[in-house]
Each structure stands twice: as C-alpha cells, then as structure tokens.
C-alpha cells in the first residue's frame, strides 16, 4: 500500500442515520452494521448526534466508529475530538459533525447475541492500516466487556510492526481477553464474556487479514 493521504468523510450530525447510510461514502461494514442494529424507522427518525451522545442505543455500531478512528466536531472546541475522548469525558456542547477516514483500512467485526435481532452480548470491531503488508496501526473496539458501553483495547498496539499472521492475531486476542473487565449478568457470566472477547477479537482480526489479501 502506498503511503498516501485519504479523503475524510464529513457527515452533518443533524442528518438522520438513514441519510448517513445512503451516502456513497459510507464504509460497507458501517452500513451493514447500521442495518443490522437499527430498524429502518429508527434510522429515519434518529439524528446522528443523538446516537453519538447515547452509545447504549447502538453499541455494536459505536464499536465500528471507534475502530475507524472517527472524530467529531463539538461546539466550543478548537479541534476535532476523537470519539474515544468524547465517550470518556462526555464533553459538553452540541455535536455538529462526524468525520471518518476509512480509506486504506482493512476491517473486520464479530459478535455473539441470543438472536440476530437482539443487542450483542459481546461485539468486536477491528481495523488495521497496512503498508507493504505490515501493520502501521490498528484499533480494536469492544462492547459488553467494560463498565462503559464501548471502549478501545490497548492490546491493539501489539499488532504494529507485524504482518497479520495467525501467531500475532492469537497473541493479541489473548491480550484482549486479559485486558477486559466484564460484569456478569443473565446474558453472560464474567468468564463467558471474557472468553468471547478473545474469540471475537481473533475472528475480527482474521477478517482484516482476509480483507487485506483480497484487495
């Protein structure tokens, strides 16, 4: 892959989720997750800014935004705010735009739920930026394994400087499994959620690997 700058997709935060999904610039896996997560009626009635402020509404979709390294424009802030910081700090102010630079990224995602219509028990989204087959940077976002609705895993840094081979994928999945701090409930025990974090991370990264090969 050549070291080039990629266009950034800018979305008005007042736009409906359906309008965002219909935009030709919408990354395919973000579009698919939006369809699987929210009904047509909800997508048409819900502005993007509402979901960005209420991650519980679509946690699986929010993992994709985190993995894509999305940023937002917030009134009163001089610079774009990373989604991770927005979720951590709950920065006040009206969100006016979402920014996504998905070009050049390989991505994958995996989840487990009781039924396809249910919210995920655990879900993972992963992206990797490759240069000559080597990972320059990667992000792994999870839901269902933290006290917060979604969060990035620090273990993704292990991938930098490596090819996406099975050895490093397995090692990263084990690191994610050790890193997460799930809380058990009727949907899944602590042990189950922790184990699924590792399994789903491996599956998402394997998708990134195949995505890279097919390009």
């Amino acid at each position: 892959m050549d070291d080039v700058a990629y266009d950034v997709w800018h979305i008005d935060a007042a736009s409906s989720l359906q309008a965002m999904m219909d935009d030709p610039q919408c990354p395919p896996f973000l579009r698919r997750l939006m369809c699987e997560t929210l009904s047509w009626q909800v997508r048409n009635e819900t502005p993007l800014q509402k979901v960005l402020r209420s991650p519980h509404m679509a946690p699986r979709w929010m993992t994709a935004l985190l993995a894509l390294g999305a940023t937002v424009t917030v009134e009163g802030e001089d610079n774009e705010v990373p989604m991770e910081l927005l979720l951590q700090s709950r920065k006040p102010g009206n969100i006016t735009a979402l920014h996504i630079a998905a070009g050049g990224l390989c991505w994958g995602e995996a989840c487990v739920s009781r039924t396809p219509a249910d919210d995920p028990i655990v879900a993972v989204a992963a992206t990797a930026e490759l240069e000559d087959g080597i990972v320059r940077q990667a992000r792994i976002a999870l839901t269902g394994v933290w006290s917060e609705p979604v969060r990035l895993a620090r273990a993704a840094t292990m991938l930098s400087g490596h090819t996406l081979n099975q050895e490093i994928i397995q090692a990263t999945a084990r690191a994610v499994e050790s890193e997460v701090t799930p809380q058990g409930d009727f949907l899944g025990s602590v042990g189950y959620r922790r184990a699924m974090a590792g399994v789903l991370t491996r599956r998402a990264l394997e998708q990134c690997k195949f995505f890279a090969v097919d390009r």
Side-chain angles (χ1 to χ4, degrees):
M1 180 185 304
D2 295 330
D3 187 11
V4 297
Y6 293 97
D7 291 336
V8 178
W9 178 32
H10 306 282
I11 312 102
D12 186 335
S15 302
S16 71
L17 295 176
Q18 184 63 39
M20 179 182 179
M21 191 185 79
D22 291 340
D23 191 310
Q25 288 185 275
C26 186
F29 99 122
L30 195 60
R31 182 181 294 114
R32 176 169 57 81
L33 286 181
M34 197 182 297
C35 286
E36 294 178 359
T37 301
L38 299 169
S39 69
W40 178 86
Q41 181 176 359
V42 171
R43 296 196 305 268
N44 273 284
E45 295 176 349
T46 306
L48 172 59
Q49 58 189 200
K50 181 175 181 179
V51 180
L52 295 177
R53 285 298 190 188
S54 305
H56 287 288
M57 287 186 64
R60 187 178 173 197
W61 187 69
M62 292 294 287
T63 63
L65 291 184
L66 277 181
L68 287 167
T71 62
V72 296
T73 298
V74 179
E75 288 182 350
E77 296 289 332
D78 294 332
N79 300 310
E80 292 178 13
V81 178
M83 277 294 305
E84 182 180 22
L85 182 59
L86 178 76
L87 294 173
Q88 288 175 349
S89 64
R90 294 292 184 181
K91 281 184 173 293
N94 184 42
I95 298 173
T96 59
L98 174 69
H99 315 280
I100 300 174
L105 294 178
C106 303
W107 55 70
E109 63 87 23
C111 76
V112 60
S113 60
R114 291 189 302 178
T115 73
D118 288 330
D119 285 337
I121 300 171
V122 178
V124 177
T127 62
E129 180 184 354
L130 305 180
E131 182 175 11
D132 297 327
I134 304 298
V135 178
R136 295 182 59 183
Q137 71 170 353
R139 297 184 185 90
I140 302 170
L142 300 95
T143 184
V145 291
W146 317 102
S147 57
E148 306 97 326
V150 294
R151 191 201 293 183
L152 287 171
R154 296 187 303 272
T157 59
M158 295 175 57
L159 295 162
S160 297
H162 295 274
T163 60
L164 274 177
N165 57 51
Q166 204 60 32
E167 182 179 359
I168 192 63
I169 288 175
Q170 293 281 16
T172 303
R174 289 193 297 270
V176 168
E177 188 173 338
S178 298
E179 179 182 345
V180 297
T181 56
Q183 299 176 351
D185 59 16
F186 71 99
L187 292 174
S189 65
V190 169
Y192 175 78
R193 289 176 181 270
R194 187 182 297 279
M196 286 299 99
V199 169
L200 298 176
T201 295
R202 174 179 56 79
R203 291 177 183 173
L205 289 175
E206 286 174 345
Q207 289 180 31
C208 289
K209 175 183 175 182
F210 290 126
F211 184 93
V213 170
D214 289 342
R215 295 179 61 173

